[in-house]
């Protein structure tokens, strides 16, 4: 059994956190590959090292002095090095190099990547294992996307040679031979790539929450944790804003059937959430998760005999495509169709969309409404349970909530309902109380 363990920024924000991480790794022999993030926030209001580095880069690129900023960043690492009592180890040389490069040839990605690079060096020293610079084993292509073929080849050969290793998260080597980072939160992606190339059995992703919760704790009091969630359910929920993991982290492990276990560094005894391809584990509830987002707009289009006009839908959608707007949902009637879009993508282009629909599809009328919230009720269990929709609608009716839209895919994995923005929180609480019982 082999595992990759990825630790997020808050798990490595201080020497004290590092010690917890060390204990976690040592508690299980199979935790062989470690992917660290940069030191994150130690308390609310603190600044992540990645943000300090990005600020330093901005200062350097304006030609201003960065000595004070370098000092503050170095202090974050020195606290960790001293707290861990690492003998014969210092990052002085690395900081000199960073400072020189920032003064001569400042690069944003290089600056941002140093957070993980330096933390990785400390981690390797602390654990007494090999340090593998991600720029030697993770590669991007011309388009700036992961070159998975080359990465898989080089990284798997390298990992096969070492029993244990630390690979810093968040960056690799660009096609131009310079360091390049993933988007923010990208250490999750590195963890997934290392899991795939290292042929491991489990990808443990350690953070500061005990996995996914059935609903948002800012809306529902003390929501239950999710024990098992499938990749498809996760996709539905993260689309609706429930995010713990970087979106691109799923693909590499999903492809080779490696489960992800989300764990809490501050509560290592909690089992966390398992993200799996498929599972026969008994579910506590029919519903796996409830998530949602506010601020959608609806564009309601009607035209007599629409149902028999071939190509009408395509013409309407073309109006959105021309304006570079992606639509989220499209419930339709016989002579009507409704397009649901994100308000922030749509509002500043609304008149241009309306005129394009008139030009392309010649409808009888178009009505626009703002202030719609969408709530997604997701669960693989809904397929085999009858009455889920009935219970859901009664839950909302009992609270006097008017449902403005309903969308259920034939996969029966989710039901999406549209309600007024003002009813959003109340709807989620009502649905939670109906489906999730103690
Ligand atoms: N340190 C990077 C960030 O703050 C990457 C990561 O933590 O995953 O986004």
């Amino acid at each position: 059994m082999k595992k990759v363990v990825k630790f997020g920024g808050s798990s490595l924000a201080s020497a004290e956190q590092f010690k917890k991480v060390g204990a976690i790794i040592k508690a299980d022999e199979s935790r062989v590959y470690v992917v660290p993030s940069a030191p994150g926030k130690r308390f609310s209001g603190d600044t992540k090292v990645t943000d300090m580095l990005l600020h330093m880069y901005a200062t350097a690129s304006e030609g201003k002095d960065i000595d004070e900023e370098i000092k503050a960043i170095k202090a974050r690492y020195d606290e960790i090095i001293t707290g861990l009592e690492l003998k014969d180890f210092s990052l002085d040389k690395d900081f000199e190099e960073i400072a020189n490069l920032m003064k001569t040839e400042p690069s944003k990605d290089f600056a941002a990547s140093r957070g993980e690079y330096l933390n990785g060096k400390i981690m390797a020293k602390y654990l007494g294992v090999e340090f593998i610079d991600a720029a030697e084993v993770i590669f991007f292509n011309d388009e700036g996307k992961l070159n998975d073929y080359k990465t898989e080849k080089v990284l798997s050969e390298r990992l096969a040679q070492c029993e244990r290793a630390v690979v810093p998260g968040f960056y690799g080597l660009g096609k131009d031979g310079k360091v390049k980072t993933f988007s923010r939160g990208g250490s999750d992606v590195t963890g997934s790539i290392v899991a795939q190339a290292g042929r491991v059995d489990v990808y443990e992703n350690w953070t500061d929450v005990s996995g996914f919760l059935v609903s948002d704790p800012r809306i529902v009091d003390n929501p239950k944790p999710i024990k098992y969630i499938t990749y498809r359910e996760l996709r539905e929920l993260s689309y609706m804003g429930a995010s713990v993991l970087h979106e691109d982290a799923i693909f590499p492990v999903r492809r080779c059937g490696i489960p992800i276990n989300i764990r809490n560094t501050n509560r290592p005894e909690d089992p966390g959430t398992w993200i799996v391809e498929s599972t026969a584990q008994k579910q506590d509830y029919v519903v796996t998760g409830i998530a949602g987002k506010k601020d959608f707009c609806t564009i309601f289009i009607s035209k007599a005999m629409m149902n028999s006009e071939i190509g009408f839908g395509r013409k309407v959608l073309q109006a959105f495509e021309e304006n570079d707007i992606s639509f989220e949902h499209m419930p339709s009637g016989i002579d009507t169709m409704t397009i649901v879009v994100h308000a922030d993508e749509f509002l500043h282009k609304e008149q241009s969309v309306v005129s394009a629909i008139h030009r392309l599809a010649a409808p009888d009328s178009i009505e626009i409404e703002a202030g719609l919230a969408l709530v997604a009720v997701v669960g693989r269990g809904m397929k085999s349970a009858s009455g889920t929709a009935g219970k859901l609608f009664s839950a909302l009716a009992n609270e006097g909530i008017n449902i403005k839209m309903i969308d259920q895919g034939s996969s029966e994995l989710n039901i999406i309902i549209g309600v007024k923005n003002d009813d959003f929180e109340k709807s989620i609480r009502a649905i939670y109380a109906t489906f999730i019982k103690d």
Side-chain angles (χ1 to χ4, degrees):
M1 170 81 126
K2 282 207 286 186
K3 291 179 185 167
V4 163
V5 281
K6 180 259 164 177
F7 291 91
S10 59
S11 302
L12 298 168
S14 62
E16 194 191 333
Q17 289 300 88
F18 249 85
K19 286 181 190 165
K20 289 185 195 168
V21 166
I24 289 167
I25 295 169
K26 284 175 192 145
D28 182 346
E29 273 285 295
S30 64
R31 292 177 175 141
V32 291
Y33 303 130
V34 181
V35 176
S37 282
K41 294 184 184 186
R42 294 159 292 182
F43 43 85
S44 84
D46 197 13
T47 310
K48 289 176 165 194
V49 164
T50 309
D51 290 315
M52 297 172 88
L53 288 160
L54 285 168
H55 194 276
M56 173 199 74
Y57 158 76
T59 310
S61 56
E62 285 170 17
K64 294 190 192 144
D65 187 65
I66 54 167
D67 288 356
E68 285 307 311
E69 294 192 40
I70 289 260
K71 232 192 238 168
I73 297 165
K74 187 161 181 296
R76 291 287 309 260
Y77 287 100
D78 283 343
E79 184 273 333
I80 297 172
I81 296 169
T82 316
L84 296 178
E85 296 174 47
L86 298 181
K87 302 271 170 332
D88 313 316
F89 181 83
S90 118
L91 295 173
D92 292 358
K93 258 205 133 99
D94 296 278
F95 274 100
E96 257 171 53
E97 263 173 45
I98 295 169
N100 282 337
L101 245 147
M102 283 300 121
K103 282 171 195 163
T104 50
E105 199 193 331
S107 144
K108 187 174 178 188
D109 280 22
F110 177 79
S113 74
R114 294 305 89 182
E116 273 66 15
Y117 173 83
L118 299 170
N119 234 15
K121 280 190 139 182
I122 298 179
M123 178 67 85
K125 172 76 182 171
Y126 181 49
L127 299 173
V129 303
E130 187 172 340
F131 171 77
I132 300 178
D133 185 354
E136 292 170 16
V137 288
I138 291 178
F139 304 96
F140 292 88
N141 61 23
D142 279 333
E143 289 149 30
K145 301 242 165 67
L146 178 73
N147 178 341
D148 31 14
Y149 177 76
K150 185 169 174 193
T151 300
E152 154 75 20
K153 190 168 177 317
V154 175
L155 182 57
S156 60
E157 275 169 20
R158 184 75 181 265
L159 291 175
Q161 289 160 20
C162 38
E163 223 171 282
R164 289 168 186 277
V166 171
V167 185
F170 192 38
Y171 71 94
L173 195 71
K175 197 71 204 285
D176 56 1
K178 296 195 174 129
V179 164
K180 180 169 169 48
T181 61
F182 291 105
S183 56
R184 294 299 302 265
S187 298
D188 282 340
V189 186
T190 310
S192 190
I193 294 168
V194 174
Q196 182 197 5
R199 316 271 184 268
V200 306
D201 305 279
V202 177
Y203 170 17
E204 283 181 352
N205 187 299
W206 292 80
T207 170
D208 53 7
V209 289
S210 294
F212 287 95
L213 301 172
V214 172
S215 197
D216 186 338
R218 288 166 299 188
I219 299 174
V220 173
D221 242 2
N222 223 350
K224 301 248 180 228
I226 300 176
K227 291 182 192 155
Y228 287 87
I229 185 168
T230 63
Y231 291 124
R232 289 176 58 210
E233 288 174 314
L234 179 65
R235 171 87 181 104
E236 301 281 347
L237 288 171
S238 20
Y239 164 75
M240 278 295 175
S243 75
V244 173
L245 206 64
H246 192 294
E247 272 223 318
D248 298 341
I250 305 290
F251 188 64
V253 282
R254 182 177 185 173
R255 193 164 47 185
C256 39
I258 301 170
I260 306 174
N261 187 198
I262 308 281
R263 300 285 291 267
N264 187 347
T265 300
N266 304 317
R267 295 177 57 99
E269 63 287 355
D270 287 354
T273 299
W274 284 91
I275 307 170
V276 297
E277 185 174 349
S278 179
T279 173
Q281 298 288 331
K282 198 178 157 330
Q283 269 184 294
D284 294 337
Y285 317 102
V286 172
V287 163
T288 305
I290 307 156
K293 271 192 201 164
K294 284 185 180 175
D295 293 325
F296 289 88
C297 286
T298 51
I299 299 96
F300 178 80
I301 302 146
S302 66
K303 183 173 190 181
M305 306 306 282
M306 178 194 292
N307 70 323
S308 56
E309 184 180 330
I310 291 171
F312 186 84
R314 178 183 52 74
K315 291 173 199 158
V316 168
L317 292 181
Q318 190 181 331
F320 288 87
E321 190 178 349
E322 280 181 6
N323 283 281
D324 210 15
I325 297 172
S326 75
F327 76 94
E328 307 301 317
H329 295 278
M330 191 175 56
S332 61
I334 299 170
D335 285 341
T336 62
M337 66 191 276
T338 307
I339 310 285
V340 180
V341 291
H342 275 290
D344 55 357
E345 278 183 51
F346 173 72
L347 281 178
H348 59 292
K349 294 181 184 164
E350 63 168 27
Q351 295 311 319
S352 153
V353 175
V354 169
S355 59
I357 299 174
H358 275 290
R359 169 168 47 83
L360 293 159
D364 295 337
S365 68
I366 300 175
E367 277 166 59
I368 305 176
E369 209 180 300
L372 182 81
L374 296 181
V375 177
V377 182
V378 176
R380 58 189 182 279
M382 297 199 307
K383 209 169 179 158
S384 44
S386 55
T388 313
K391 268 196 215 162
L392 172 63
F393 300 139
S394 317
L396 297 173
N398 290 341
E399 290 292 323
I401 297 166
N402 176 34
I403 302 176
K404 298 180 74 70
M405 188 203 91
I406 304 166
D407 199 351
Q408 181 184 22
S410 54
S411 67
E412 292 181 67
L413 187 68
N414 66 1
I415 301 176
I416 293 174
I417 52 150
V419 294
K420 280 204 311 245
N421 267 348
D422 289 348
D423 286 334
F424 177 68
E425 284 86 1
K426 203 158 101 183
S427 304
I428 291 190
R429 281 194 281 269
I431 299 167
Y432 184 92
T434 302
F435 287 101
I436 314 294
K437 302 258 158 47
D438 284 323

